[in-house]
Amino acid sequence: MQVTLKIFRYNPEDNLKKHYDTFTLEADPTDRILDLLERIKGTEDGTLGFRRACAHGVCGSDAIRINGVNRLACKVLVQDLKSRNVTIEPILGLPIEKDLIVDMEPFFDHYRSVMPYFVNDDPPPKKERLQSPEERERFDDTTKCILCAACSTSCPSFWVNEEYVGPAAIVNAHRFIFDSRDQAAAERLEILNEQFGVYRCHTIFNCTDACPRDIQVTQAIGEVKKAIVDGRLD
Amino acid sequence: MQKHQYEVVVVGAGGAGLTAALYASKTASTAVISKLYPTRSHTGAAQGGIGAALGNTEEDHPEWHAFDTVKGSDYLGDQEAIDFMAAEAVDAVYELEHMGLPFSRNPDGTIAQRPFGGHTNNETGKPVRRACYAADRTGHMILQTLFQQSIKNKVTFFDEFYVLDILIVDGKTAGVVALELATGEMHIFHSKTVIIATGGHGRVWEITSNAYSYTGDGIALTLRKGIPAEDMEFFQFHPTGIYRMGILITEGVRGEGGVLTNGEGDRFMEQYAPTVKDLASRDVISRAMYLEMKDGRGIDGKRYLNLDVTPDVVNHYAEIDGRKNPDGSPYRVTASDILNKLPDIIDFCETYIGVNPISDPMPVQPTAHYAMGGIPTNKFGEVVVDEKNTVLPGLYAAGEVACVSVHGANRLGTNALLDLIVFGKYSGLKAAEYSANEPYIDLPKDPTAYALQQLDGIRKSNGQERMIDIAAEMKEVMFDHVGVFRVEEGMQEAVDKIRELKGRFKEIRVDDKGLKYNMNLIEAWELSNLIDIAEVTAVSALARKESRGAHSRDDYTERDDKNWLKHTLAWMEKDGVRLAYKPVQITKYQPKARKY
């Protein structure tokens, strides 16, 4: 079948303004959008800029907007789309570097701000720290995050205010706050209780819809809010 | 142009690079340079587990792990290094747990373990639960945990920097030259040591589980500096990649009781490996699959087979095998057990092929997966450059890019993640120790000359050849002729073809002439790396006249210990590839026939 891709273009090194280029190509229903981008780059325009690595949804490199919603280019097949006309744009809310490539540094700054690492200052035992399957299950969902930024850059609160830490940072804080082995939940909750923390979330659910790992992002944010209000972890 | 100075420079930010950086940065100034953001590294795609004889649910010993690894390597692994890795494994896993890694758990709170191919109870020969796992995203959790700890420990990163050259002055390491992708600017990193941790090169082949980024950058850099590559003919084809796409379906599926079936509905591994069946080592299974398909027993006569983990089938064969739970009760699974243990596999299959593995079998074929060969090192990660294992001062390699050799002719599942952690750690410690005792070597007069000369050659290239065509022809010939089964004529054809492509590469067209995020230029450079590696691989394979591990020949079907119990070393020289050999280190285990 024939598919038409309308792709956002911007290169600060040429004199052209931001614009769209259109490419029409033969595609199989089972082709990934990433396969099509690769084909355009290989056969029509080698200057097309986008990131990719694993090509099967686990590395988080290729979050883009496909027909207005955030998706990984490697996890959407042609047959998943309602239309054969596909608009491809960079994710919103981060500075555009070139074509579909955005500056990820503001995103990682937010991530780093919530202490996204394990803290336990007790001397470790000789073997593993014990954790029951139920305790492990408590934070299982948020361990799946691949830091693709699809959630944060789908969030209207994030678009409006770049200082908001965003759903991805909260998801990663959640992963440690609810880990029975960790000792820094109180500090993380304090960080997220600040002006640009969890209360910027207005439960719009875009993040949950955007997550390519099916993480219940809004629910995780809700659990963090509750922990702040209740002053305890359930 | 910018200049930086660090005692230790780590190239690559996957499992090995991050582990090396965490250890080196404790005592030495350290920078990590990576072409990807660290969390994009291919370690994150590993699924099934990391091997360590914790013995959490049944008897196990590091010695058994070592022997299984030697046997799995088809006796080409160096035994002192293997003993070292298996012994270090237990503490390596505890250390990851202490860093917060969310392993799946047993009811008693200990780390959960599952069976994996080739890992056995050495007394009964039956599969043993040795693979420590976090659902089916163990590599993801390792990568995330190491990255998190790097943030906690304030490791310095240069993300999206592409290393173009390793500076070696008078036989000692002096640093690297790198291109900043965001700006196109050149950077010189003056260092005392360099740790290469750039991962593998599965993109040489058509069907592969490997990321686009797996282009053999580290080996290509060292080959161009006159350092040999070791055992490049040994490249693992994982038995279960999604048909036509190559996406990995973890061996953990078979660990949980899944079986391979052919077009006649038979569980064919019973014929090839009567004791452990679907949990034989990967080379054995990929070869069996090839033979089944060759004899017309593919599904509907096509080039794929079924991997079946539907609960009824699992329970049927578990009963036949007499498989037991750790408490002695019969092993049985439900749909929700499968969903909990293999969530990502189910997601991949539903997303890419519309198959739900809980109700239907998965179509699979062998997929290019892992480089046993690589930059030769000793067990401390020090790069060794000749038949006598002479160390090149200040240069280290760890992870898939390195060949210690602990995997020999065939790697066991779960030993790759282990390799990253153990040899990442020791290369980091050794580099820091070296840095404490040695001065900086003066940089060469024009440090970027060599890198720029090569880069400009590509950047200014304005011929008519398309990269996409050259890549496709390379991948096809390598998959067809330097793949699961090999013969003289086919491999010769591959060598000739690669040489032709090498010539045509000089006439490629690079559309992008810009500086900022010129991915077109980087991809051309990566393709040149892949072509060099394909040539070295095909020449090394053509020369080895025996079948051993992943190197399986139709014209020399037996292992030949008398003539070929030795490592290949391949140098890339002006007029082609030069080969030499070095002995395998054998301590406790004398080679014997391999039966599973």
Side-chain angles (χ1 to χ4, degrees), chain B residues 123-281:
Chain B
E123 281 161 11
T124 63
K126 296 281 188 191
V128 70
R129 292 174 181 83
R130 186 178 291 148
C132 309
Y133 65 90
D136 54 355
R137 53 177 186 280
T138 313
H140 165 76
M141 294 317 339
I142 288 178
L143 185 64
Q144 293 288 329
T145 300
L146 294 170
F147 182 58
Q148 292 153 3
Q149 290 297 307
S150 302
I151 291 170
K152 187 179 182 184
N153 291 288
K154 301 190 166 54
V155 171
T156 304
F157 286 100
F158 292 85
D159 296 330
E160 301 197 316
F161 277 58
Y162 190 63
V163 171
L164 300 172
D165 193 18
I166 298 172
L167 301 171
I168 294 169
V169 179
D170 298 333
K172 288 187 176 177
T173 306
V176 303
V177 175
L179 182 77
E180 183 178 0
L181 300 186
T183 61
E185 190 177 5
M186 297 289 272
H187 292 250
I188 299 165
F189 291 84
H190 188 196
S191 69
K192 294 179 178 178
T193 60
V194 173
I195 302 173
I196 305 169
T198 51
H201 52 263
R203 285 276 155 180
V204 161
W205 287 271
E206 187 180 354
I207 305 289
T208 178
S209 65
N210 285 186
Y212 275 103
S213 40
Y214 252 28
T215 51
D217 302 343
I219 300 175
L221 286 172
T222 50
L223 278 171
R224 287 169 198 156
K225 287 288 163 165
I227 295 164
E230 180 175 347
D231 290 342
M232 293 294 281
E233 63 271 42
F234 298 103
F235 196 91
Q236 179 165 80
F237 284 73
H238 192 292
T240 56
I242 293 179
Y243 178 47
R244 298 199 307 147
M245 300 188 85
I247 295 171
L248 180 66
I249 300 296
T250 176
E251 201 167 309
V253 167
R254 284 170 281 131
E256 300 299 341
V259 296
L260 286 159
T261 57
N262 62 21
E264 292 166 11
D266 291 333
R267 181 202 197 182
F268 56 88
M269 282 312 299
E270 284 171 342
Q271 320 290 328
Y272 299 89
T275 309
V276 296
K277 299 168 191 166
D278 296 275
L279 287 171
S281 67

Side-chain angles (χ1 to χ4, degrees), chain B residues 46 83 101 137 162 182 188 197 221 326 372 401 422 437 448 461 463 479 499 501 504 508 538:
Chain B
D83 280 340
L101 198 144
R137 53 177 186 280
Y162 190 63
I188 299 165
L221 286 172
M372 272 74 74
V401 73
V422 171
N437 298 318
T448 59
S461 185
F479 196 75
R499 287 183 179 149
L501 294 175
R504 283 167 55 194
I508 59 162

Side-chain angles (χ1 to χ4, degrees), chain B residues 109-124:
Chain B
T110 55
I111 293 169
Q113 296 181 279
R114 59 165 55 117
F116 239 73
H119 293 279
T120 64
N121 175 315
N122 282 189
E123 281 161 11
T124 63

